[in-house]
Amino acid sequence: MLRYTQYKPSKVLCNFIECFWICQDTEMTMSPRERLIPGGRIEMIFNFGSPMRFLLNNDLSNGQAVTHAQIMGQRSHICYTKQNGNTNLLGVRFKPGAMSAFTKIPAAFLLNQIVPVEDVLSSASREWEGRLLEKKNEPERICLLDELLSQLLKGFAKGWPDCNKAVDIIRNSNFISVNVLCNENESYYKKMERDFLRYVGYTPKYFYRLVRFNKAIRQMRSTKNSLTSICYDCGYYDQSHFIKDFHQFTGTTPKHFQKEHNVIAGFLLSHQAV
């Protein structure tokens, strides 16, 4: 049976990390290929189970095997995961833009990428997996991981507070134009775009698309409103724009998606913040 659990970070990390999470499945209740809808976050994943393959592009036959400790970059389109054995994952979900508090690598370099943890953080992080495996239970592992990340914490990068303000404006607005966003943030678009690519990994316009879509698909799950009503409520010009985003971010149509049993997508839509 699949079990997904989230843990809050310590006060030291709460401005940078959304949650620690654990996903375990010893009975293979997931489908052979699970959809992973992009949510705009960078994640760190420790795989203590069977190798899991992440299909980040259209090559659905192979994909990239995730073993040991990896950084999964933010995604700009639908990707899939395949698992042929037991699932035992420990993850860290960073807040949008907050990875810059732990590394100097621009977030844009991680877009649609999976790379070893030590290539992004410090060389010492390659030893983290072994240290985590020595712990007897989940709370002890979470506590250790929180401690290890706290030791790497460099604090706010120079441009991150302004970028974070813009992120919050986008997340808390159903519709906002570029001009209004710039005025609210007391900035001009080109600078904001550079900051977003550095810290969040997307342009402001693309990040807004992701947020808008996630709000819409959550409404599809939580209400019986018509697709047209949801589109306008979430800031789409018309239904065709929503359908276009739906194909890009889920790889299918709204009706087909609703009929599927998307286990991981269901957990993330229920627990991951917009």
Side-chain angles (χ1 to χ4, degrees):
M1 182 176 183
L2 184 67
R3 182 174 68 88
Y4 176 82
T5 310
Q6 290 187 176
Y7 295 85
K8 292 182 179 180
S10 64
K11 290 183 179 180
V12 175
L13 296 177
C14 64
N15 288 326
F16 309 95
I17 290 176
E18 202 163 89
C19 69
F20 297 100
W21 56 266
I22 288 175
C23 184
Q24 295 178 327
D25 185 6
T26 57
E27 299 177 7
M28 291 294 292
T29 56
M30 291 192 298
S31 64
R33 191 184 77 177
E34 288 282 342
R35 299 181 190 274
L36 296 179
I37 299 171
R41 274 79 167 163
I42 295 172
E43 306 206 40
M44 178 163 55
I45 300 175
F46 295 87
N47 186 0
F48 303 127
S50 302
M52 178 174 278
R53 305 198 76 87
F54 286 90
L55 314 170
L56 299 178
N57 51 47
N58 292 327
D59 179 13
L60 301 182
S61 58
N62 295 313
Q64 184 172 347
V66 171
T67 57
H68 309 297
Q70 305 282 337
I71 295 289
M72 173 179 272
Q74 73 285 3
R75 301 178 301 282
S76 62
H77 53 73
I78 181 65
C79 72
Y80 304 85
T81 180
K82 293 173 67 176
Q83 179 65 298
N84 295 319
N86 69 302
T87 301
N88 188 3
L89 304 174
L90 167 60
V92 182
R93 185 169 302 130
F94 295 91
K95 291 186 175 182
M99 193 68 179
S100 62
F102 303 91
T103 179
K104 293 183 178 180
I105 295 177
F109 288 3
L110 299 174
L111 183 66
N112 299 322
Q113 300 294 321
I114 296 179
V115 296
V117 165
E118 61 265 25
D119 290 354
V120 178
L121 302 179
S122 69
S123 58
S125 61
R126 68 167 61 102
E127 302 173 3
W128 289 5
E129 181 185 21
R131 295 181 63 181
L132 290 167
L133 280 171
E134 292 174 357
K135 296 301 177 181
K136 298 178 181 179
N137 52 51
E138 291 177 9
E140 287 188 2
R141 285 183 179 178
I142 298 298
C143 185
L144 174 60
L145 190 51
D146 192 295
E147 178 185 335
L148 293 170
L149 284 168
S150 297
Q151 293 171 1
L152 284 184
L153 185 63
K154 299 177 175 66
F156 294 108
K158 183 178 179 180
W160 190 65
D162 288 340
C163 186
N164 190 47
K165 178 182 176 182
V167 167
D168 285 342
I169 292 172
I170 290 174
R171 291 173 67 183
N172 294 319
S173 304
N174 274 352
F175 174 77
I176 187 168
S177 68
V178 170
N179 289 334
V180 171
L181 181 62
C182 291
N183 290 336
E184 289 281 341
N185 210 44
E186 299 179 351
S187 182
Y188 56 92
Y189 184 75
K190 284 298 181 182
K191 179 182 184 304
M192 188 180 297
E193 186 176 74
R194 289 195 299 270
D195 286 345
F196 260 72
L197 289 172
R198 169 70 179 86
Y199 301 115
V200 184
Y202 307 99
T203 65
K205 292 180 180 178
Y206 206 96
F207 184 70
Y208 169 71
R209 279 185 63 194
L210 283 175
V211 171
R212 179 179 62 178
F213 174 76
N214 273 271
K215 287 181 179 179
I217 197 171
R218 280 165 170 76
Q219 277 202 30
M220 284 178 56
R221 289 170 53 87
S222 62
T223 72
K224 294 183 179 180
N225 295 343
S226 68
L227 198 59
T228 302
S229 175
I230 291 173
C231 289
Y232 289 128
D233 188 49
C234 293
Y236 284 94
Y237 289 112
D238 54 40
Q239 191 170 324
S240 64
H241 283 84
F242 178 51
I243 297 297
K244 180 181 178 181
D245 276 3
F246 210 98
H247 273 285
Q248 180 162 352
F249 297 140
T250 72
T252 187
T253 65
K255 288 185 178 180
H256 190 217
F257 182 81
Q258 287 180 314
K259 292 179 181 178
E260 288 182 337
H261 184 52
N262 294 291
V263 178
I264 294 182
F267 277 126
L268 294 180
L269 289 172
S270 298
H271 296 284
Q272 180 173 281
V274 176

